[in-house]
Amino acid sequence: MRPWPELVRLPILTTLVGCLAGCGSGGGLTSPAPTIVVDGSSTVFRISKAAQEAFASVDPDVTVVVDNHGTGGGFGRYLQGEVDIVDASRDAKPDEKEKAWSQALEWTRFVVGYDGITLAVNAKNDFARSITVDQLKKLWEADSKVVTWKDLDPSWPDRKIVLYSPDNDSGTFEFFVEAILGKGKHPRDGVQQSSDDNILVNGVVGDPDGLGYFGYAYYADNKERLKALAVQAGAEAPPVAPSPETIADKSYKPLSRPLYIFVKNSSTKRPEMASFLSYYLDNVSTLAVTGRYDPPTPEDIEANKAALASLTAKSGDDAAQAVAKPSTP
């Protein structure tokens, strides 16, 4: 059989390629699904995860990825241009803000709830009911000589304390260390650390002499397996146990704290991002409670609304300038 002439084969090949490219898309090329990336605090993760799951029923065509590499890890990815929203259980550090602004990666901060870092012991611990800030400092400071429970309180057993803590990238770790030891201080060595709060919970649950700390929600999910210690802020202060009420009225101190999301300003120019952020903030009180945290205060809600309005207006002005700007030939 004679081979087909080139002029006959070329149109057929072109037709086949076009058919394959448009297969399953109505004859046109498919575009990737819009994606929003959230990363950071394992504490705030629970609120953003609730937002992701609820938003899926509002706009199933948008993919929201929520991860939890710690507040420091979230800011690290943000500075690499990899995320749209940072979940943060502490405020941004000056150097993080400086690096972001120097790269034109400006953000807007929103309050999404309140937490109380909870000191938890094994449920079988029948002697420790409360602990003072001074005892915590003595226990966690870098040159600590505390080895046993008896070293903290003569009436407690002469058994070794096993400590559990979030890792150094965690905002919970950084907030706890600053609140108990002071700014710029470093904690002791020999602590069992993990970026996963559930691993910390299981560590304390499995160790009769375990003592660990994590966000209140992780304690609330495991009340039957753990015992929370009341914290005494000063010599004249009463011991106060963590609870939604004591966290809300700030009587649980110094370990009550606000929870944040930091939103990349430029990301809100994307329709899917603007829609998700509006949904998140409109429903933030419900989402915070779903995550087992206290919701933002009415004042926080108003501040969030004002910040969102300012951000939306700025994004609109930027978009208008982009349209008005003549294209480069």
Side-chain angles (χ1 to χ4, degrees), residues 79-191:
L79 294 173
Q80 296 297 318
E82 297 175 355
V83 302
D84 301 296
I85 298 174
V86 177
D87 287 340
S89 58
R90 60 162 173 79
D91 206 349
K93 297 177 181 179
D95 66 311
E96 290 167 338
K97 183 173 181 178
E98 183 180 342
K99 288 176 183 176
W101 261 238
S102 69
Q103 298 177 61
L105 296 173
E106 297 182 0
W107 60 53
T108 300
R109 190 189 73 180
F110 300 93
V111 176
V112 295
Y114 286 88
D115 174 40
I117 297 175
T118 301
L119 276 301
V121 295
N122 188 279
K124 295 178 181 178
N125 184 317
D126 59 1
F127 54 88
R129 294 177 177 81
S130 66
I131 193 164
T132 69
V133 170
D134 284 343
Q135 285 175 315
L136 287 172
K137 182 175 181 179
K138 184 179 177 183
L139 176 60
W140 290 92
E141 62 191 357
D143 57 352
S144 176
K145 302 298 188 292
V146 174
V147 177
T148 69
W149 292 102
K150 192 176 183 67
D151 293 334
L152 282 181
D153 186 317
S155 68
W156 289 352
D158 190 16
R159 300 198 306 261
K160 184 178 179 180
I161 304 173
V162 182
L163 298 174
Y164 295 86
S165 158
D167 67 10
N168 294 23
D169 273 339
S170 166
T172 300
F173 168 88
E174 294 178 296
F175 189 97
F176 179 87
V177 170
E178 184 168 328
I180 299 303
L181 301 182
K183 196 167 186 177
K185 300 293 184 179
H186 299 281
R188 65 186 295 166
D189 295 325
V191 177

